[in-house]
Amino acid sequence: MIGLSPPRRAAIQRLALPLLVLLSAMMVILGKADQVLFESLRLAVTDTASPALDVLSRPLAALGHLVDRARDFVAVYQDNHRLSEENERLLNWQQAAFRLASENARLRELLKLTPEPATTFITARVIANSGGAYVRSLMIHAGSENGVERGQAAVTGEGLVGRVSEVGSRAARVLLVTDLNSRVPVIVEGTQQRALLAGDNSERPSLRYLDTPAAIKIGDRVVTSGQGGVFPPGLPVGVVASVDGEAPRVEPCVELSRVEYLRIVDYGLADGLPKPMPIAARGGRRAESQAGDQLGRR
Amino acid sequence: MALKPTGAPAPQRLDNPAARLLPIATTLLASVISIQPAPIPGYAALAPAFTLMAVYHWTIYRPDLLPPLALFLIGVAQDLLAGAPVGTTALVLLLTRVVVLRHRRHVVNQPFPFVWAGFTMLTGGAMLLLWTLHCLTAGLLVDLPGTVFRAVLTISVFPAASFLLGRTQRAVMGAG
């Protein structure tokens, strides 16, 4: 445009604006009609931008650490007191665990139980708290090159964070349990009721399809049920935080806004997740690339 | 002609490439900052719309250096990175340009309260549009109180952003 005469340039600019407005409106509609239309573009952009995002997210993380350290320093006395109490309690548990582990090993031997498949995991840094205002997702700096696959569970030491929803070669997106589109089959411990943990973009997802909602109490632990085969059973998800209103709400175990490192765990169950189908039949390529990724995994 | 509003001096010519790229660079930076993880509960939902601030600022002072194509590309890239419906941010940014260019003479060379008032009205409209687009694509009513809060936060952060952008503009481009 630089070499053009001013009137022509102005004409192009006048035309460019309405055309681009129209184009973006069309993209919104097309993206809605065909969910996977922009997926490869999205993955390409994510992969390209991930090193830059990784670098840029570090100063902010460092600032967060500084604040945490100052806070830790203030609380050091109480923390020490609390931790020594906790340590005492945990040592008792350690004894119990040793006893149970040896007992378990003996019983397994008696039963000739086949061991559960070993789980492998990949630890990845969160590089973008992406999603903007209306999507709850995180971007992590690990992709198919590192063995991340669609459908794998994302966890921290505390419990479930979400699942991998899109995978690029160097970066992947994790859909959080609080997202509008997140549905996790769970069991409410205590009553052993099955339910579906449905996110709605709020901080606390709700429990749906309970048999007897009245039996649910605040403080009940919610763990994955393993139904549907995406998550293994027994993974901690959260605790029931409120029961009034139409559906009980669950406070996630993990403080989702403070997650800095995630573990992407492969329980060998990722095939349970149905692949998204484009409107036009072009599913073969996707299936092949997924198979290729599986070969590349450790 | 829309690009040369009355009452404003004609944009000065810039030979320095760094100065010519400044509006695009700062808008891109704002876009990246808005998707950064911050250890604040609920931050992702309430993160101020930094991109909107940059677009508003540059469309008032140097619309020639932040062309519609740049807005479109930055908007699409932000949607792709954020996992938002593709095109929503681009649409909002482009419409921001349309609206700001039309009313530019009310804010350019005016005291800051006028600029801020203009941004307040713009943010109200932009957030409402963004919310409507997300409702339409999601097929249900998404978080309205969060949207209102986000708009308020965006408006209250604007003076600081405007100050920084103005300072950078003067430092790189010189007075003008």
Side-chain angles (χ1 to χ4, degrees), chain A:
Chain A
M1 282 207 293
I2 289 159
L4 294 173
S5 62
R8 283 187 95 163
R9 217 173 128 174
I12 286 178
Q13 287 213 354
R14 260 207 306 277
L15 214 63
L17 194 53
L19 271 179
L20 288 169
V21 168
L22 207 67
L23 186 61
S24 13
M26 267 166 62
M27 282 171 95
V28 175
I29 297 165
L30 280 176
K32 169 70 184 157
D34 188 349
Q35 306 278 357
V36 297
L37 183 64
F38 293 115
E39 200 173 297
S40 49
L41 184 63
R42 198 184 283 272
L43 292 179
V45 170
T46 306
D47 274 345
T48 317
S50 63
L53 287 174
D54 183 38
V55 169
L56 283 164
S57 67
R58 277 167 200 266
L60 213 64
L63 201 70
H65 288 163
L66 209 67
V67 174
D68 281 352
R69 261 169 92 171
R71 202 182 294 152
D72 287 352
F73 197 70
V74 173
V76 71
Y77 179 76
Q78 284 140 320
D79 275 359
N80 192 26
H81 192 69
R82 187 176 52 80
L83 287 173
S84 37
E85 265 178 21
E86 195 175 295
N87 197 27
E88 216 168 288
R89 212 172 46 245
L90 289 175
L91 280 173
N92 287 337
W93 276 110
Q94 193 191 30
Q95 291 306 317
F98 279 145
R99 200 164 39 77
L100 289 171
S102 65
E103 187 181 312
N104 208 352
R106 251 184 310 112
L107 293 173
R108 271 168 203 265
E109 220 169 286
L110 283 175
L111 286 169
K112 298 265 182 289
L113 188 77
T114 46
E116 284 178 30
T119 53
T120 55
F121 60 82
I122 303 141
T123 306
R125 227 172 83 81
V126 174
I127 53 170
N129 192 351
S130 58
Y134 306 105
V135 185
R136 300 287 177 267
S137 68
L138 296 173
M139 197 193 291
I140 54 167
H141 199 207
S144 55
E145 280 177 5
N146 311 88
V148 176
E149 277 172 49
R150 197 169 163 273
Q152 286 173 339
V155 301
T156 67
E158 286 104 50
L160 185 71
V161 171
R163 66 173 168 79
V164 177
S165 61
E166 286 167 19
V167 187
S169 56
R170 279 191 300 241
R173 187 181 303 283
V174 171
L175 191 77
L176 301 179
V177 289
T178 47
D179 187 84
L180 203 62
N181 292 310
S182 167
R183 300 287 182 275
V184 182
V186 292
I187 287 185
V188 184
E189 285 189 349
T191 58
Q192 293 298 323
Q193 282 194 73
R194 286 175 191 280
L196 203 63
L197 187 75
D200 55 2
N201 280 1
S202 72
E203 301 274 293
R204 293 170 170 180
S206 61
L207 286 173
R208 303 228 186 116
Y209 311 116
L210 283 158
D211 287 336
T212 44
I216 303 293
K217 293 188 299 296
I218 289 178
D220 282 350
R221 266 166 51 89
V222 176
V223 300
T224 53
S225 72
Q227 275 190 334
V230 174
F231 299 114
L235 217 56
V237 180
V239 288
V240 176
S242 72
V243 289
D244 39 82
E246 42 209 274
R249 291 200 167 261
V250 173
E251 175 85 33
C253 294
V254 184
E255 211 180 319
L256 295 171
S257 55
R258 297 190 71 94
V259 174
E260 203 189 333
Y261 285 92
L262 272 182
R263 259 189 322 180
I264 305 299
V265 191
D266 186 8
Y267 293 98
L269 299 168
D271 299 335
L273 204 68
K275 312 276 183 292
M277 288 295 287
I279 288 180
R282 49 188 165 98
R285 193 174 52 80
R286 282 186 54 79
E288 272 163 32
S289 73
Q290 291 251 342
D293 290 348
Q294 291 223 328
L295 288 174
R297 187 157 40 102
R298 252 193 322 164

Side-chain angles (χ1 to χ4, degrees), chain B residues 2 6 9 59 102 104 108 119 129 140 142 144 150 154 164:
Chain B
T6 50
T59 311
R102 187 157 295 171
R104 190 168 164 247
V108 77
F119 184 73
L129 175 66
L140 47 91
V142 294
L144 184 60
R150 186 166 176 242
T154 304
L164 281 176

